[in-house]
């Protein structure tokens, strides 16, 4: 074994020793490390690409579109091909990365109950379609690592007691003390299952169709490293670690955010970055903000973490006309060190999560927000608290309808308020993710909710391409207005060095009706002020509060209007955002 391979082998072994310290293994750790490296095809020096620490493999030009493989359909072709055509037609010079939500055969949860990790759902297309997209766009894929479908071959083998998967799943006893277990759902935790070896109680964090893996068995880890290698071969550049916080379970604990979970992420990163250092890991951990931040590790775990606190805080800001909570949160957020960054989003296939707002919004604020969203046609999904109480877990609503008004009710500023939300998000430190239904200005899909019986379906509309094209071509439709204005903002954003995901960010103090922050490019050449009126009344901002340097010429990049330093005030219309810059690189 060469020196480089030996060093990597020692590092992998160190990870494994930490993970399995309390587990009796059937083979030495060194043999398991060798098996993992072989699975990832890191067998000789030619296979090793040494990663550089604290290297940013992203810049201001990176924007991710989040979509299902069949969010847009045309009856004459496979949906993945239709998606590719849509991107090439309507997202030119805006979107350069695409997150295709689970595109595998599945049994429930719109893809997150995976039957077979190694194949593409034939109703969407095939691996050739995935690889074709990966040739033109950075491909982000889900690693549904906590659980799989109860209809998978692995779980069928568990029931039979033989074959691959027969020992892959976590079981417990109804007599165990499970009172501390953190739950995102109100369904019973244990699923009674009849097997060839008698009755077993399978752990189900999310639903009884989503059976949890037992990572105490190294075979599970090996199986997932094989899956990761397959996805890399098919063109994956970003891995989204779904529900990863629940990965490791120890009866008698909360079974969330355990140290073994963090160590498994560190191990996966070590192996992945030695195949291709440019591949990015993003952890999907829908948990309170302080816990979420721990997934950065010491720049040796996730490259990026979902900024889960942003959606509820930003929606609350815009429906109340008060940014104090958003401002306090932004001031408390640590800058991401080089080699890490935030993944910013304000809408996704799921709802507006409320757990990440705990400790940031008062209970009364959350209750008020929930009430307002219900008034706008939203649904509420619940979870069980540690004391057995039901608490709101997420609000299910499209972002477009969530911003149709204020706590006083709907008004005429829906589109402006919606664009304001994205202008704030696009300007923030981090990589922006834009949900396809935000890009299209999609409204609540009540028909789909009625058909599926699932609240989350409200924000998972499936568009017919011809219908969508007619709406996008109509200058009077909300869809045309939203796509046009968002595309303009994204194109401007991509040209600004001050919007690099790791560029300096500083929160401004401009009162509670105006939300502002300053960004400075890494080379310190560009200063950029993002200032938004988050209320339904015109606001004035003292230019002296912004501190525009008199030696520079300033311009609002959105309106292309110069900023006159001799003026005392900056006038902002309701929900207007200005991006004031001393440079215009666009």
């Amino acid at each position: 074994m060469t020196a480089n391979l030996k060093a990597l082998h020692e590092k992998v072994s160190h990870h494994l020793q930490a993970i399995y310290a309390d587990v009796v293994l059937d083979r030495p750790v060194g043999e398991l490390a060798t098996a993992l490296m072989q699975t990832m095809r890191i067998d000789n020096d030619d296979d090793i690409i040494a990663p550089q620490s604290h290297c940013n493999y992203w810049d201001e030009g990176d924007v991710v579109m989040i979509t299902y493989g069949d969010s847009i359909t045309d009856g004459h072709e496979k949906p993945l091909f239709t998606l590719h055509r849509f991107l090439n037609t309507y997202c030119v010079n805006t979107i350069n990365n695409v997150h295709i939500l689970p595109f595998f055969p599945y049994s429930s949860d719109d893809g997150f109950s995976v039957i077979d990790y190694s194949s593409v759902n034939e109703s969407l297309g095939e691996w050739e379609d995935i690889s074709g997209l990966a040739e033109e766009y950075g491909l982000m894929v889900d690693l549904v690592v906590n659980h799989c479908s109860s209809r998978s071959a692995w779980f069928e083998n568990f029931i039979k007691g033989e074959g691959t998967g027969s020992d892959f799943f976590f079981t417990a006893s109804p007599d165990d003390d499970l009172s501390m277990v953190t739950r995102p759902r109100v369904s019973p935790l244990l699923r009674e299952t009849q097997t060839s070896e008698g009755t077993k109680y399978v752990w189900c964090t999310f639903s009884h169709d989503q059976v949890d893996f037992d990572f105490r068995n190294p075979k599970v880890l090996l199986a997932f490293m094989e899956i990761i290698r397959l996805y890399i071969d098919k063109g994956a550049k970003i891995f989204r670690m779904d529900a990863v916080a629940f990965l490791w379970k120890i009866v008698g604990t909360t079974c969330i955010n355990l140290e073994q979970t963090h160590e498994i992420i560190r191990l996966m990163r070590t192996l992945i970055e030695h195949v291709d250092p440019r591949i990015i890991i993003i952890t999907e951990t829908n948990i309170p903000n302080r816990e979420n931040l721990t997934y950065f590790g010491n720049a040796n775990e996730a490259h990026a973490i979902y900024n889960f606190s942003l959606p509820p805080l930003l929606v609350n800001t815009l429906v109340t006309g008060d940014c104090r909570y958003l401002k306090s949160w932004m001031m408390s957020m640590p800058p991401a060190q080089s080699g890490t960054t935030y993944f910013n989003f304000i809408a996704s296939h799921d709802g507006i999560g409320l757990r990440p707002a705990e400790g940031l919004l008062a209970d009364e604020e959350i209750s008020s927000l929930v009430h307002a969203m219900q008034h706008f046609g939203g649904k509420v999904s619940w979870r069980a608290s540690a004391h057995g109480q039901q608490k709101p877990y997420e609000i299910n609503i499209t972002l477009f309808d969530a911003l149709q008004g204020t706590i006083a009710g709907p008004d005429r500023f829906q589109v402006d308020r919606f664009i304001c939300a994205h202008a704030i998000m696009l300007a923030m430190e981090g990589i922006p993710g834009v949900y396809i239904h935000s890009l299209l200005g999609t409204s609540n899909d009540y028909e789909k909710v009625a058909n599926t019986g699932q609240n989350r379906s409200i924000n998972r509309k499936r568009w017919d391409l011809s219908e969508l094209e007619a709406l996008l071509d109509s200058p009077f439709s909300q869809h045309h207005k939203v796509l046009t204005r968002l595309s303009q903002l994204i194109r401007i954003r991509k040209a600004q060095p001050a919007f690099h995901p790791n560029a300096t960010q500083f929160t401004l103090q401009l009162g509670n009706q105006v939300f502002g922050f300053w960004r400075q490019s890494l080379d310190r050449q560009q200063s950029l002020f993002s200032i938004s009126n988050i209320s339904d009344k015109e606001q004035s901002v003292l230019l002296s509060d912004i501190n525009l340097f008199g030696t520079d010429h300033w311009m609002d990049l959105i309106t292309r209007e110069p900023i006159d330093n001799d003026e005392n005030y900056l006038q902002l219309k309701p929900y207007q955002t200005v991006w004031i810059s001393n440079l215009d690189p666009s």
Side-chain angles (χ1 to χ4, degrees), residues 241-305:
M241 301 289 188
D242 178 66
V244 70
F246 301 96
L247 193 68
W248 195 273
K249 290 93 173 164
I250 299 177
V251 171
T253 72
T254 60
C255 299
I256 189 172
N257 305 324
L258 299 186
E259 179 53 34
Q260 292 89 339
T261 293
H262 286 280
E263 194 66 43
I264 287 173
I265 297 170
R266 290 192 281 268
L267 168 63
M268 288 180 170
R269 173 164 173 169
T270 293
L271 289 166
I272 290 170
E273 68 187 4
H274 278 83
V275 174
D276 185 346
R278 298 165 298 175
I279 293 175
I280 297 168
I281 293 173
I282 302 181
T283 49
E284 187 267 333
T285 45
N286 192 355
I287 51 180
N289 192 52
R290 182 174 295 181
E291 299 169 26
N292 193 27
L293 289 168
T294 65
Y295 283 86
F296 278 140
N298 185 25
N300 62 348
E301 287 188 43
H303 296 87
I305 61 173

Side-chain angles (χ1 to χ4, degrees), residues 89-110:
T89 302
Y90 290 97
C91 301
V92 177
N93 299 323
T94 56
I95 303 300
N96 68 326
N97 299 281
V98 58
H99 172 200
I100 306 176
L101 290 154
F103 47 81
F104 320 105
Y106 71 97
S107 56
S108 64
D109 199 17
D110 281 350

